[in-house]
Amino acid sequence: MMIFGKQKKPSLKDTENAFQPAKEISDIERFAGRQKPINDSFLALLSEGANIAIVGNRGIGKTSLARQIQKFGSGNNDLIKKLNLKLDHKFDYQVFYLACGDEINNRDDLLKRLLTSDACLGSWLYEIPKTRTMLHALSPKLKAEIFGVGAEIGGTASIQETHEHVAVPQSTEGVFENVVRQLREEKLTRDGILIVIDEFDQISNPSGLGPFLKALATNVDGVKFCIVGVAKDIQELMKEHESADRLFAGAIVPLDPMSAEELSAIIDIAEEQTGKWFKFEQDARDKIVAMANGHPYLVHLIGKFALRRAFMDDKQSITSDDIDAVLQTIAENASDPVLEGRYRTAVASSKQRESVLKALACNQDDRGEIWTTDAYKAALENGVDNASQYVGQLVTDDFGAEIERVRERHYRFKDSLFAAYVQARPSMRGLAADS
């Protein structure tokens, strides 16, 4: 951002949006790192008969990766070129994207949402005469189950006559299969249909989806699913071991924590978005990267408030001291109300419990496991001589059950993003010591 050869201070809007903790990164220009997951996802999409699964912890960038799969799946290879990947194929999928919410509890709920959402198959139900004829022939009960009581299929559009025999399905899965088959018969794209299902872990009971996907692959050619969710592996995500192994063989993309170099690249991109008016000094960069512990979300959260503070204070240089002040502000204002709420539930009003929680977070090995001998020693150095008592409390629902026992003398945080937040957050002010 230059004016007459000189830098110009960016607008508040540009400053506020240089980091984006509240949304996934869909803009290719803002996407940082992740060469291997992008390469693996591309190759998985090339594999005939294989569905794709992206698994990993919260705040690790799964949705951002899914958005990029959506782009190159429909033929936009700009990110492939940006990352200098040796992938010369250009896909031509019709891509649909759905993020699961509270209203999707099981397989049928998912299929109904895919069928009725205008962002997915809903907008196509009225466009294909054969499909519209099939839908009008459904039983009133099934029509009401899928589209709601009193729903009109196709609105006021007339039903076009077709001399082809149209099979009338008797179940939600049958309707879904017929719709995607008829859409494929239109040959709108060369490669077929790609359905990206984000937040898949929100589905409390996905049982039956594995067998359905297997049957769909047999009955309809050219339909792929990409499921995205919080899990350590595909079996945990699908809750169906045998079918999950077969359906996603060779096409599972585990998303690991980002490297320090990749996290630092997020800061580089943010500086570029503001015309390099602001500069994160090396000590500030190092602190943000260390505190993020591989989670890009925390880089975006801390970075956003650091830039806001610099803009308001009319500063261009951001130092380690500025990051410390920003972290205090984020905590006190509950800038992430979910993480802060969980932190306060775990700590409650106990200074000792907070010390133990932080000792646990700071003594994880490379697998995220905590050996209590190390954690108890750290807690003792902070004046807590009965740390095991507080660990016993932290595994219970009363205090959020944020940690779990792995085996004798070994624990781990259930959510690595929360563990990183615990490390980064300054200690609470005014907590009283337990008597």
Side-chain angles (χ1 to χ4, degrees):
M1 193 174 295
M2 305 285 287
I3 181 167
F4 301 119
K6 297 181 179 180
Q7 285 181 306
K8 178 185 176 183
K9 184 176 181 179
S11 67
L12 178 58
K13 181 177 180 180
D14 288 340
T15 303
E16 282 290 297
N17 290 292
F19 291 99
Q20 297 183 333
K23 67 185 292 288
E24 71 276 4
I25 304 301
S26 55
D27 187 346
I28 291 171
E29 299 252 333
R30 291 173 178 261
F31 192 83
R34 294 303 196 192
Q35 282 91 341
K36 187 178 186 304
I38 289 291
N39 186 81
D40 291 348
S41 300
F42 195 101
L43 296 176
L45 200 53
L46 276 174
S47 300
E48 293 185 7
N51 294 288
I52 306 171
I54 302 171
V55 295
N57 293 320
R58 289 179 177 83
I60 214 78
K62 298 183 300 299
T63 297
S64 295
L65 176 58
R67 287 299 192 182
Q68 300 309 317
I69 292 174
Q70 185 179 9
K71 287 183 182 295
F72 63 68
S74 57
N76 184 341
N77 277 7
D78 288 351
L79 181 61
I80 306 303
K81 295 173 184 176
K82 175 185 173 182
L83 299 178
N84 294 315
L85 297 176
K86 297 178 180 179
L87 303 167
D88 59 0
H89 184 79
K90 192 166 186 176
F91 292 108
D92 183 28
Y93 278 98
Q94 187 174 13
V95 185
F96 300 109
Y97 175 92
L98 176 71
C100 297
D102 294 340
E103 76 282 1
I104 300 177
N105 297 306
N106 52 46
R107 179 196 64 183
D108 278 9
D109 287 348
L110 174 62
L111 297 181
K112 290 172 188 175
R113 192 79 178 89
L114 289 169
L115 283 167
T116 57
S117 171
D118 285 342
C120 298
L121 298 169
S123 60
W124 288 94
L125 300 181
Y126 320 134
E127 303 298 325
I128 303 171
K130 192 174 180 181
T131 300
R132 192 160 61 242
T133 300
M134 181 268 293
L135 292 174
H136 274 281
L138 294 177
S139 70
K141 180 180 179 182
L142 183 56
K143 192 183 299 184
E145 284 181 6
I146 297 175
F147 301 100
V149 177
E152 290 294 329
I153 306 299
T156 58
S158 61
I159 304 174
Q160 298 184 29
E161 294 292 330
T162 176
H163 297 291
E164 295 182 72
H165 171 70
V166 178
V168 181
Q170 303 300 313
S171 64
T172 300
E173 55 264 36
V175 172
F176 185 89
E177 182 178 312
N178 274 269
V179 169
V180 294
R181 178 188 293 111
Q182 290 154 11
L183 186 56
R184 283 289 289 128
E185 289 172 355
E186 295 294 307
K187 297 181 179 178
L188 300 174
T189 55
R190 182 186 68 247
D191 293 322
I193 298 170
L194 173 63
I195 300 173
V196 181
I197 304 175
D198 199 3
E199 306 287 349
F200 187 85
D201 54 286
Q202 296 296 312
I203 304 175
S204 57
N205 179 23
S207 62
L209 183 62
F212 171 74
L213 293 182
K214 183 181 178 183
L216 185 67
T218 301
N219 298 333
V220 184
D221 182 56
V223 179
K224 278 181 177 282
F225 279 74
C226 172
I227 67 170
V228 186
V230 176
K232 64 178 183 295
D233 54 38
I234 186 61
Q235 291 84 4
E236 180 184 344
L237 188 61
M238 289 287 290
K239 298 182 174 67
E240 291 179 314
H241 291 254
E242 293 183 8
S243 59
D245 287 339
R246 292 192 298 270
L247 286 165
F248 299 92
I252 300 170
V253 182
L255 207 55
D256 296 324
M258 292 185 85
S259 68
E261 182 180 359
E262 289 175 320
L263 294 174
S264 188
I266 296 173
I267 301 174
D268 291 337
I269 291 170
E271 287 181 341
E272 290 168 5
Q273 291 293 317
T274 61
K276 295 191 175 181
W277 177 264
F278 299 106
K279 176 179 173 59
F280 285 83
E281 301 298 341
Q282 192 61 49
D283 61 349
R285 281 175 172 265
D286 291 344
K287 180 164 285 190
I288 293 173
V289 168
M291 288 179 168
N293 200 22
H295 297 79
Y297 168 75
L298 287 180
V299 175
H300 281 279
L301 181 67
I302 298 169
K304 180 182 183 71
F305 285 91
L307 285 188
R308 179 184 294 177
R309 176 186 172 90
F311 184 95
M312 297 301 180
D313 291 348
D314 204 22
K315 292 177 59 178
Q316 290 182 259
S317 176
I318 299 167
T319 67
S320 175
D321 289 342
D322 294 319
I323 301 304
D324 288 338
V326 162
L327 288 169
Q328 191 68 49
T329 299
I330 289 173
E332 291 178 350
N333 294 343
S335 300
D336 185 313
V338 175
L339 287 174
E340 181 62 19
R342 289 165 62 186
Y343 185 90
R344 296 190 182 199
T345 295
V347 171
S349 57
S350 170
K351 183 176 181 180
Q352 287 97 320
R353 193 178 301 108
E354 182 181 44
S355 294
V356 172
L357 184 68
K358 284 185 168 293
L360 292 167
C362 294
N363 282 278
Q364 302 172 85
D365 63 18
D366 56 3
R367 297 174 299 173
E369 292 189 2
I370 306 154
W371 187 33
T372 54
T373 299
D374 291 337
Y376 292 171
K377 180 180 178 182
L380 184 61
E381 290 172 355
N382 284 313
V384 183
D385 58 7
N386 56 341
S388 61
Q389 173 185 329
Y390 295 100
V391 169
Q393 295 171 356
L394 289 168
V395 299
T396 66
D397 291 338
D398 288 345
F399 297 95
E402 297 289 355
I403 64 170
E404 61 185 355
R405 186 175 180 271
V406 179
R407 58 187 183 280
E408 185 70 25
R409 297 184 182 178
H410 287 80
Y411 290 80
R412 69 178 167 212
F413 280 85
K414 294 178 180 178
D415 179 3
S416 64
L417 176 61
F418 179 70
Y421 185 81
V422 170
Q423 289 187 66
R425 192 203 187 284
S427 296
M428 294 176 69
R429 295 173 177 174
L431 288 179
D434 295 347
S435 56

